[in-house]
Each structure stands twice: as C-alpha cells, then as structure tokens.
Amino acid sequence: MRILQCVWSRSWKQFMIYRATGCLTLALALVFYGIELLTGYIYFSSDVTVKGWDRTDYLLLVTTASLIMAWYNFFFVLGHEQLSEKILTGALDQILLRPVDPYWLTAFGGFDIPSLFDLGFSLVIASLFLSKYQPAFFELVWYFLACLLGVCVVFFIESIVYRLCLLDRADQRLEWDS
C-alpha cells in the first residue's frame, strides 16, 4: 500500500509540474470524445437505425472505447512512455538489475492524472447510456469485465509494440557495431 501511495504522490507532483500539458491533454481528449458523440448524432439524425444499430448502441460503443483507453492511459501510459525512452537511450540495464520484477516496475510507472479525469467523465457518460438499457447486476459485471479485457488487449498490443522497438533498437546497434 505504501508503494501505491508513493506512486500516487509522485504522479500528482508530476501532474502539478506539467499541469498545462495535463490540462491540454484532458481538453483534447474531451474535444475528440465530443466529436465522436457529434458524429453519432449526425449518423442517426435522419434514421432511427443504421444496420441494426440505434443511436444509443453507437454512443455506448464509443463511450466504452473511450472508457477503455482512459483506463489504460491512467494505469499504464506513463510506464510505457518511460520504457520506450529507456529503450531508446540504452538505460534499460539499470531497471533489469533491481530486485523487483522489472517488467511490472516499468509497465506500471505511475498514474496519468489527466486520464483519471477522462476516466471519470467516461464513467459518468457510460452510466447514462447504460441506464437506458436497465441492465441487471450481472450484466454490469460482464460489462466491467469486458472493459477490463479491453484494457488488457490494449496493454498487450502496446507491450508487443515496445518489444518490437527494443528488437529494432538492438538490430540497429548490431549494424553499427559491425
């Protein structure tokens, strides 16, 4: 628990140092989300359904995608950014020598505070759209698990991309050495 407090404290300090960037990131996330919602309203303005989808179905899909990305960004984007920077600068050896699991140490580098606000906003909007379906408790649990699975998929795709970056960097280093 103390580790999480330290990570949260460091993340909050980092947000306060770069608050203009964080506010700009949050504002752009909300603008793009607004554009996606506006697109949904335009798609479904003249017809009730499009290929079996109604407006609420589409808006819930867009909101769920935004929720998954905000959830991923909140937990993992800082760690993956730091990992790619360490790969490109050659500072990965220091992490590998630590006594804790280096993969999770680098993947979970901190909390992205602007994504927390985006996550909260997406949760509120998703709950509004979900309330139109009047889901049962277990349907909400399945929705939550599906979102968690979506976060895992994004995490693994990002991990694969960073591993390919590491391999590409190692390949370039071998070319330069020979």
Side-chain angles (χ1 to χ4, degrees):
M1 192 64 166
R2 181 153 167 77
I3 294 174
L4 287 177
Q5 285 178 327
C6 290
V7 169
W8 177 260
S9 175
R10 187 183 68 190
S11 298
W12 184 255
K13 288 176 186 175
Q14 184 178 3
F15 171 69
M16 294 308 288
I17 291 171
Y18 300 110
R19 61 183 163 261
T21 303
C23 291
L24 183 64
T25 302
L26 175 64
L28 286 175
L30 294 178
V31 165
F32 285 118
Y33 181 66
I35 290 171
E36 291 172 347
L37 290 179
L38 179 67
T39 303
Y41 281 105
I42 292 171
Y43 284 160
F44 295 99
S45 64
S46 63
D47 199 0
V48 178
T49 63
V50 174
K51 302 263 184 193
W53 286 67
D54 65 353
R55 180 181 292 164
T56 307
D57 293 338
Y58 173 79
L59 294 176
L60 184 60
L61 176 71
V62 168
T63 303
T64 302
S66 176
L67 181 68
I68 289 170
M69 287 309 299
W71 198 357
Y72 164 78
N73 287 340
F74 177 66
F75 285 109
F76 299 113
V77 76
L78 290 179
H80 275 157
E81 286 176 359
Q82 292 170 2
L83 180 61
S84 70
E85 182 179 321
K86 289 179 194 248
I87 288 171
L88 293 175
T89 60
L92 194 60
D93 293 340
Q94 297 170 352
I95 294 172
L96 296 175
L97 295 176
R98 293 189 180 172
V100 294
D101 186 8
Y103 181 74
W104 293 109
L105 181 67
T106 56
F108 186 67
F111 300 112
D112 186 36
I113 303 297
S115 295
L116 177 64
F117 299 126
D118 191 23
L119 179 65
F121 180 75
S122 296
L123 277 172
V124 168
I125 299 298
S127 65
L128 290 174
F129 290 137
L130 280 171
S131 68
K132 293 182 181 182
Y133 292 104
Q134 299 175 347
F137 175 74
F138 288 111
E139 291 173 333
L140 288 175
V141 169
W142 282 111
Y143 178 78
F144 174 77
L145 290 175
C147 289
L148 181 62
L149 181 65
V151 172
C152 291
V153 166
V154 173
F155 175 80
F156 289 129
I157 289 172
E158 289 284 334
S159 296
I160 290 169
V161 168
Y162 284 114
R163 286 184 178 133
L164 290 175
C165 177
L166 177 64
L167 289 175
D168 182 51
R169 180 71 178 165
D171 186 40
Q172 288 177 358
R173 187 174 289 160
L174 287 176
E175 288 177 6
W176 286 11
D177 290 340
S178 55

